[in-house]
Amino acid sequence: GENVEQHPSTLSVQEGDSAVIKCTYSDSASNYFPWYKQELGKGPQLIIDIRSNVGEKKDQRIAVTLNKTAKHFSLHITETQPEDSAVYFCAAGTSGTYKYIFGTGTRLKVLA
Amino acid sequence: GAVVSQHPSRVICKSGTSVKIECRSLDFQATTMFWYRQFPKKSLMLMATSNEGSKATYEQGVEKDKFLINHASLTLSTLTVTSAHPEDSSFYICSAAGTSGTDTQYFGPGTRLTVL
């Protein structure tokens, strides 16, 4: 079946360094790619999303890139801060269905 | 905008009882709501998709008679865990979608269910 692979599963970085999380999807029909941040005991929160008609999107310290040909998309967090520590999930969806396939999650730890 | 609430946030119940969890979209009309289950340190497992006024569509392996879903209005969906057992203990999260012009799911804060 369709799936989304996410790597790495855990990531530790020093405060101020950058963090990159990568996802690969299999469904060619996917055209919407959100990223969620989940803190312990809470629901996921949307942090950024990208559609297949653009290759990159940036929002302050967070950016997402998409390579539709390779079916890869990545989350980039620059100047990481301790409050960025959380689990991050990528997802792939198709317009109009609202339904996603989620990646397996990346536990990011920012060391002060 | 796009706020989703869940109630209760935590519930402890005895084995054999039923528990109802509410999911509300507070500032938008949600044509579609999703219910997920999440095990510790795991990803989100989709249980079912519900559209307002229609029967829910359950994922393979999810017992529809055990996990009753009702989506009676554009702002409210409920999940009832019937005859709960300890193995039903989990973190249940809803999401809502349907804001005009977006494909985004907005998640609730989750409900921690513990069945004794």
Side-chain angles (χ1 to χ4, degrees):
Chain A
E2 308 297 350
N3 72 312
V4 174
E5 293 186 2
Q6 183 172 346
H7 298 282
S9 56
T10 60
L11 178 60
S12 292
V13 299
Q14 291 292 328
E15 183 178 0
D17 287 350
S18 295
V20 180
I21 302 170
K22 299 181 179 181
C23 289
T24 304
Y25 62 98
S26 61
D27 187 356
S28 299
S30 297
N31 58 3
Y32 177 66
F33 307 93
W35 284 89
Y36 289 87
K37 176 184 180 182
Q38 186 178 26
E39 297 179 344
L40 189 63
K42 298 183 179 180
Q45 294 296 305
L46 179 73
I47 55 171
I48 197 167
D49 57 7
I50 192 168
R51 296 186 182 280
S52 60
N53 57 348
V54 297
E56 184 173 358
K57 184 177 179 181
K58 191 173 181 180
D59 182 3
Q60 299 182 358
R61 296 186 297 109
I62 296 172
V64 57
T65 58
L66 171 65
N67 182 330
K68 194 178 178 184
T69 302
K71 296 182 185 172
H72 290 167
F73 59 113
S74 300
L75 177 72
H76 304 253
I77 305 174
T78 59
E79 300 172 31
T80 54
Q81 301 167 2
E83 51 265 38
D84 294 329
S85 296
V87 178
Y88 291 82
F89 291 100
C90 64
T94 305
S95 287
T97 70
Y98 301 117
K99 197 170 180 180
Y100 302 160
I101 299 173
F102 279 93
T104 49
T106 296
R107 187 171 299 275
L108 173 64
K109 185 179 289 187
V110 180
L111 307 171
Chain B
V3 179
V4 177
S5 70
Q6 259 181 265
H7 179 80
S9 58
R10 292 177 178 269
V11 57
I12 301 172
C13 69
K14 293 182 179 180
S15 187
T17 61
S18 294
V19 174
K20 180 184 282 189
I21 302 169
E22 290 188 350
C23 177
R24 292 180 185 274
S25 56
L26 299 184
D27 52 3
F28 68 101
Q29 293 187 325
T31 53
T32 306
M33 286 185 167
F34 300 88
W35 286 95
Y36 294 86
R37 184 172 179 178
Q38 188 175 36
F39 293 99
K41 299 186 178 181
K42 296 294 184 182
S43 188
L44 300 154
M45 184 187 81
L46 180 65
M47 297 174 66
T49 303
S50 74
N51 293 293
E52 185 262 342
S54 303
K55 287 185 178 180
T57 301
Y58 290 82
E59 295 298 303
Q60 192 171 5
V62 177
E63 299 176 59
K64 62 180 181 180
D65 294 332
K66 180 166 186 62
F67 298 99
L68 301 178
I69 291 170
N70 183 277
H71 191 164
S73 76
L74 286 172
T75 59
L76 173 65
S77 177
T78 59
L79 167 67
T80 301
V81 183
T82 62
S83 187
H85 291 285
E87 56 265 30
D88 299 323
S89 299
S90 194
F91 192 53
Y92 292 88
I93 313 174
C94 72
S95 71
T99 52
S100 178
T102 78
D103 294 304
T104 306
Q105 290 185 33
Y106 295 96
F107 284 84
T111 296
R112 172 75 56 193
L113 170 64
T114 302
V115 185
L116 302 176

